[in-house]
Amino acid sequence: MTDRPATLRCDRLTARLGDREVLRDVTLDLDARTTAIIGDNGSGKSTFARLAAGLVRRASGGLRVLGLDPERDAADLRRRVALVLSNPDAQIVMPTVAEDVALSLRSLRLPREERGHRVAAALERFGLEALADRPAHDLSGGQKQLLALCGAFVRAPDLVVADEPTASLDARNARVVADHLLADTGHALVLVTHDLALARRCERAVLFQDGGVAASGIAADVVDLYERALAC
């Protein structure tokens, strides 16, 4: 048994973008280490991910991420949660690969030697050590997504929220990225994806439809339900 807080808990959660309600009355209790978020475009998946990462404010209802209130405990949440997007160019900001990874550690105020060690270890983990001094934006698409992952994981987050991280990748690179995300390195994963084979690799899944939860449970069962609906 463990007394750690649930990865994500929400009670009648509602969110709006402008005057449009994109999530309504969402009640969930996510405890699994890996959870896939699936559903059609416009169903509310990405908004849900951004709420979990503290990037969107809720309109009403309760929300706790790792036991924290994303609005009241925003600084703590940023230290413990990492976000990975479908477009790595949106996350790469520094000139070189190593500098971009090091940027993720800036807020931790680590001694220079420890920071260098952690950057080197992260680059090795993601197979980027030979590219450390390469201009970050000269990398291939797959290498850029690995760099985005490297920047996320170098902080040893408790939760990784990944929004379509394999959407623009070929099959080989998609598998490499997925393997890194799903590996048990002490983090929980909330994964928004249209890749139903990838969703099946998660422990649990949540199916969103029209801004609400249509189903949640064992990943394979929820994916099967969604595939049957798509076949109708």
Side-chain angles (χ1 to χ4, degrees):
M1 296 292 290
T2 178
D3 58 358
R4 70 173 177 83
T7 300
L8 194 149
R9 178 172 289 128
C10 46
D11 180 28
R12 299 183 64 84
L13 177 66
T14 296
R16 294 186 177 88
L17 295 179
D19 59 358
R20 183 169 62 93
E21 190 175 70
V22 292
L23 289 177
R24 95 185 145 271
D25 291 336
V26 172
T27 297
L28 284 170
D29 195 350
L30 303 182
D31 280 323
R33 192 181 69 80
T34 57
T35 301
I37 309 297
I38 62 175
D40 296 346
N41 289 335
S43 61
K45 304 186 306 300
S46 290
T47 298
F48 182 76
R50 282 160 171 73
L51 280 162
L55 299 182
V56 174
R57 294 174 66 91
R58 63 188 182 271
S60 63
L63 176 62
R64 292 293 184 273
V65 181
L66 303 174
L68 302 172
D69 182 315
E71 296 173 18
R72 188 184 64 230
D73 306 314
D76 285 342
L77 192 70
R78 284 194 297 270
R79 283 192 289 270
R80 298 181 62 188
V81 177
L83 179 67
V84 178
L85 302 174
S86 60
N87 178 11
D89 284 313
Q91 297 183 255
I92 296 171
V93 297
M94 297 299 285
T96 71
V97 168
E99 287 173 316
D100 200 73
V101 177
L103 180 65
S104 297
L105 297 174
R106 181 175 294 177
S107 64
L108 301 184
R109 302 184 183 279
L110 300 172
R112 177 175 296 187
E113 184 176 353
E114 181 178 353
R115 185 171 65 247
H117 174 75
R118 288 180 63 167
V119 168
L123 290 171
E124 182 177 3
R125 173 183 172 185
F126 288 92
L128 298 172
E129 65 271 27
L131 305 177
D133 298 321
R134 181 81 61 86
H137 287 285
D138 287 351
L139 302 182
S140 68
Q143 290 169 334
K144 286 180 179 179
Q145 193 60 293
L146 285 173
L147 176 56
L149 287 184
C150 191
F153 278 92
V154 72
R155 294 193 292 111
D158 294 315
L159 171 64
V160 175
V161 178
D163 189 2
E164 289 290 345
T166 62
S168 61
L169 302 178
D170 59 38
R172 183 182 300 277
N173 282 306
R175 173 56 68 111
V176 171
V177 167
D179 287 348
H180 279 297
L181 287 169
L182 292 167
D184 188 354
T185 61
H187 69 283
L189 173 68
V190 173
L191 171 66
V192 177
T193 185
H194 285 291
D195 183 341
L196 298 184
L198 175 55
R200 287 181 183 276
R201 296 180 63 189
C202 293
E203 297 169 13
R204 312 286 287 187
V206 180
L207 172 61
F208 276 84
Q209 182 177 4
D210 298 326
V213 175
S216 65
I218 295 171
D221 294 342
V222 175
V223 172
D224 285 345
L225 177 67
Y226 184 40
E227 288 184 324
R228 288 196 296 271
L230 292 175
C232 294

